[in-house]
Amino acid sequence: MKFPENFLWGAATAAAQIEGGYLEGGRSPSIWDNAPAKKIKNGENCHVACGFYHHWREDVALMKEMELKSYRFSISWPRVMPKEGKVNEEGLQFYSDLVDELLKAGIEPLVTLYHWDMPAWVDAYGGWEDGRITAFFLDYAKAVVEKLSDRVQYWITFNEPSCFLMNGYMQGVHAPFKRHYLALPKFTKIFMKTNAETVKLIRKIAKKQPKVGLSFAAGAFIPKNESDPASVEEARKKTFYKGMGTMNNRWWMDPILLGAPVSAYGVYRNGGKRVKEFKCDFDFIGINHYEAFNYSFFGGDKGVDRSKLRQNSLGWVIDERSLYWTVKFNYERYRVPIMITENGVALEDKPNKNGKVEDDVRCRALEGFLINLDRAIKEGIPVIGYQHWSLMDNFEWAEGYEPRFGLIYVDYKTGKRTLKKSAYVYKDIISTNGENI
């Protein structure tokens, strides 16, 4: 097994989950900083998180030790635009210095413009339910692209719109914790317009030829019989037309990647006459993937006994075949090169008496996911990189700090970092370009 030449082996993080320093360096609060304690497990918050704002040089050194070829990180919107109309040069310089340090270490920076940390001042206008957010976001994006695009080539406009919009504005489980079920078409259109305008902006003003994409929380149904063509076609159809297939995949991807309208459940309609305006010609799409749709509580296969299946600490089923089918079905429908921008396993990791973190479950899952990714590549699907989630343990949104996704263990009391066993396994994979899996 060997992956393509110049494959972007890396790891991913998000600003709100690792940075801390929430009122330092001219930053203002985000909707996650202001989350009510009762909305976060154990009443925790992300005000300090991993302290990356103060430890970033140390963390880049650990990335270099792991031989990462790339690092996907997000920019904190409230650090760059702490209030309406104000660009915070100190905040921009923080990211500029980070980019320089990454390049010095031989690591390609992959920049996500929005990974859920909307400034509180934008939320006060109505957030994604108010069309004024488009202009606010473009002002922010313009400042970032002008500052970094002489060195940054890879741009991801948004991370998982299905999650931050539906969890935040329908389910009420993520910030800003609203339950506006009938508002789905409205905030979807506002988001898709903002995304399309952002892609145009990047292509217009970037100093270095940009490669632009968007990270989707994508998934697939695994065929009940993987060698039976009829079973494969049934799984393909469900992947875009049933449950999570409709609302996680097609609702978002068809308008943005095909310029095609979508309707769902006889109530929701997305796109209409304006749908062509939402279509984007991406250089790649990011796929964030953790669990097959078969195991979903929303429209998954009936009669699945999860107690007999491998699960992570969040109860998500670990079935590495799902990455192959997710990549396959999505590429065959949309025909855009793919980067895996998130994939990993949450565990309740703890150091042993020798101070080592033996995360064998993650090691096996990492290898299993990559074997299945290689299967897709061998079939001719253009996969340009793999970003493990996550570089380090971090603030897992409403779940707080208990789930640990990292290759690096973080002691939240002291800030001490420890490379887990999986970090060394991943380093070995990278150094051989996957030959030793």
Side-chain angles (χ1 to χ4, degrees):
M1 182 187 302
K2 191 169 185 178
F3 282 73
E5 190 176 353
N6 299 319
F7 191 74
L8 289 168
W9 295 104
T13 62
Q17 294 179 272
I18 68 166
E19 280 186 7
Y22 87 113
L23 293 178
E24 296 182 61
R27 187 184 184 277
S28 66
S30 75
I31 54 176
W32 279 98
D33 296 310
N34 290 347
K38 65 182 180 181
K39 297 290 188 179
I40 311 297
K41 195 170 183 179
N42 301 319
E44 293 167 334
N45 63 58
C46 56
H47 296 172
V48 176
C50 307
F52 181 82
Y53 185 68
H54 297 288
H55 293 275
W56 59 275
R57 286 188 175 86
E58 170 190 343
D59 293 331
V60 173
L62 290 174
M63 296 179 216
K64 184 176 182 180
E65 182 179 343
M66 292 164 57
E67 299 188 17
L68 297 191
K69 306 299 182 187
S70 57
Y71 172 49
R72 179 191 171 215
F73 63 97
S74 76
I75 308 292
S76 170
W77 186 356
R79 193 175 296 287
V80 172
M81 298 286 287
K83 63 182 182 180
E84 184 179 350
K86 174 180 170 58
V87 175
N88 178 26
E89 291 298 335
E90 185 176 355
L92 278 175
Q93 192 59 44
F94 169 73
Y95 296 108
S96 182
D97 292 343
L98 173 59
V99 167
D100 284 345
E101 191 76 6
L102 289 167
L103 292 173
K104 181 180 167 185
I107 299 169
E108 184 79 27
L110 315 177
V111 172
T112 303
L113 288 172
Y114 186 79
H115 201 136
W116 306 6
D117 52 348
M118 178 192 296
W121 67 263
V122 176
D123 181 54
Y125 280 99
W128 289 108
E129 293 182 300
D130 189 288
R132 287 174 287 187
I133 194 172
T134 301
F136 294 147
F137 192 82
L138 290 173
D139 285 346
Y140 153 69
K142 182 173 183 287
V144 175
V145 175
E146 285 181 341
K147 183 71 173 182
L148 303 181
S149 64
D150 58 332
R151 290 153 290 159
V152 171
Q153 184 174 28
Y154 288 89
W155 298 91
I156 296 164
T157 54
F158 292 88
N159 183 77
E160 297 182 345
S162 61
C163 293
F164 72 78
L165 289 169
M166 292 197 294
N167 286 345
Y169 290 88
M170 290 178 68
Q171 302 293 334
V173 295
H174 280 178
F177 306 104
K178 296 181 180 179
R179 293 179 181 272
H180 297 170
Y181 285 91
L182 296 180
L184 174 62
K186 178 182 179 181
F187 60 65
T188 296
K189 291 174 184 176
I190 291 172
F191 160 72
M192 288 189 178
K193 177 185 177 183
T194 305
N195 177 67
E197 292 298 320
T198 302
V199 173
K200 292 176 187 175
L201 175 76
I202 295 170
R203 296 208 185 281
K204 181 178 180 181
I205 71 172
K207 298 167 187 174
K208 191 173 185 177
Q209 184 69 33
K211 294 183 183 296
V212 186
L214 186 155
S215 288
F216 295 94
F221 281 87
I222 300 170
K224 292 178 181 177
N225 182 345
E226 295 182 79
S227 60
D228 174 33
S231 184
V232 170
E233 287 311 305
E234 179 189 13
R236 183 196 307 277
K237 183 175 181 179
K238 291 197 298 184
T239 292
F240 299 101
Y241 289 89
K242 182 185 179 185
M244 295 284 282
T246 298
M247 301 313 297
N248 252 45
N249 285 351
R250 188 165 56 93
W251 180 266
W252 307 96
M253 300 173 91
D254 271 22
I256 293 174
L257 301 177
L258 300 178
V262 178
S263 60
Y265 305 110
V267 178
Y268 300 126
R269 286 175 174 76
N270 180 9
K273 294 179 181 179
R274 296 181 55 198
V275 71
K276 297 297 182 185
E277 300 173 19
F278 303 150
K279 185 178 185 296
C280 297
D281 293 321
F282 285 127
D283 300 290
F284 66 95
I285 58 170
I287 284 181
N288 294 1
H289 180 73
Y290 296 91
E291 183 185 55
F293 289 161
N294 306 63
Y295 311 115
S296 172
F297 293 109
F298 175 61
D301 291 340
K302 295 180 180 179
V304 174
D305 186 354
R306 299 170 69 92
S307 68
K308 296 180 180 179
L309 302 172
R310 289 181 300 147
Q311 298 179 51
N312 72 10
S313 64
L314 288 169
W316 304 348
V317 173
I318 304 170
D319 187 336
E320 298 91 343
R321 297 174 299 163
S322 64
L323 188 58
Y324 164 75
W325 291 106
T326 297
V327 169
K328 176 181 175 65
F329 287 157
N330 280 280
Y331 180 73
E332 289 176 352
R333 185 176 182 89
Y334 300 113
R335 297 290 171 178
V336 182
I338 288 169
M339 182 190 300
I340 305 304
T341 41
E342 287 187 27
N343 173 246
V345 176
L347 301 172
E348 294 179 355
D349 298 316
K350 293 179 182 178
N352 61 23
K353 62 181 180 180
N354 297 317
K356 295 182 178 181
V357 182
E358 304 282 352
D359 55 338
D360 292 317
V361 172
R362 181 175 293 109
C363 294
R364 288 195 298 272
L366 172 62
E367 292 179 338
F369 279 122
L370 289 174
I371 287 169
N372 278 278
L373 187 60
D374 177 71
R375 180 183 172 191
I377 293 170
K378 279 184 167 60
E379 292 182 6
I381 297 173
V383 181
I384 65 172
Y386 175 87
Q387 305 298 311
H388 185 84
W389 186 270
S390 175
L391 173 69
M392 63 181 72
D393 297 334
N394 55 54
F395 175 75
E396 184 51 34
W397 309 112
E399 295 293 331
Y401 291 96
E402 285 185 5
R404 291 178 177 267
F405 276 95
L407 297 164
I408 300 171
Y409 180 87
V410 178
D411 184 323
Y412 294 119
K413 292 181 180 178
T414 66
K416 181 182 177 183
R417 275 79 160 134
T418 302
L419 294 181
K420 301 178 187 179
K421 181 178 180 179
S422 58
Y424 294 104
V425 168
Y426 193 36
K427 176 180 179 177
D428 195 34
I429 291 169
I430 295 170
S431 68
T432 64
N433 202 26
E435 283 189 348
N436 68 340
I437 299 176

